[in-house]
Amino acid sequence: MLAGRVSLVLPDGEILGKAQVIATWTDDSALSTRINPQVAHYTGQAELASAIQEGLAARKAGDVETATAKLGRAVALATETGHEDTAKLLAKVVDIDDPVTGTVRLKRQVETVDEMTLDTRSTVTKRVGKPGPS
């Protein structure tokens, strides 16, 4: 069922793109709760950024347990989602025992620049490719 039509129009009237919004009604909860891969990608990025920022804040506050848990989660997410650059930055802040499970140990000495780089880069999102045909 056609639910709507969307156009991206510049102030001068030039149309950059058009798309139809299609709705499919279902009583099947497995179909209605499935997450779109692109939405999952951005959700993963947001969780990764949050884990890094919360982990660094806890580390700065001296809360080793929370910092270890949050930065360990960040390592697991970075590994799972293929964010190799972020994983390399995390490795400058934690010793990684198991990247898949996020088992880490906080490093005692961390260069301030490494911590700052991890913090600032964790907030950057990356563009994903155009979706393929459904």
Side-chain angles (χ1 to χ4, degrees), residues 2-134:
L2 180 63
R5 295 173 195 208
V6 179
S7 297
L8 181 59
V9 183
L10 292 176
D12 66 4
E14 179 185 355
I15 298 173
L16 295 179
K18 293 181 181 182
Q20 294 182 342
V21 179
I22 306 295
T24 304
W25 300 104
T26 182
D27 291 327
D28 183 348
S29 62
L31 289 175
S32 64
T33 58
R34 188 171 45 207
I35 296 176
N36 178 290
Q38 284 187 301
V39 172
H41 169 81
Y42 285 108
T43 302
Q45 279 190 334
E47 184 181 356
L48 176 59
S50 177
I52 290 170
Q53 291 167 357
E54 290 172 18
L56 291 175
R59 183 180 181 284
K60 190 174 185 176
D63 183 351
V64 174
E65 187 176 326
T66 300
T68 303
K70 294 292 184 177
L71 293 172
R73 178 65 181 144
V75 167
L77 286 168
T79 302
E80 180 183 319
T81 58
H83 286 88
E84 295 174 13
D85 292 344
T86 302
K88 287 177 186 175
L89 293 172
L90 282 159
K92 293 182 178 186
V93 178
V94 295
D95 290 317
I96 302 171
D97 294 333
D98 184 349
V100 175
T101 63
T103 305
V104 301
R105 289 171 282 116
L106 291 182
K107 290 189 176 189
R108 292 193 186 273
Q109 297 294 332
V110 176
E111 296 290 327
T112 304
V113 68
D114 291 334
E115 196 172 33
M116 289 173 61
T117 301
L118 176 60
D119 188 29
T120 56
R121 294 231 180 125
S122 71
T123 59
V124 176
T125 57
K126 295 181 180 177
R127 182 180 297 262
V128 294
K130 290 184 178 181
S134 308

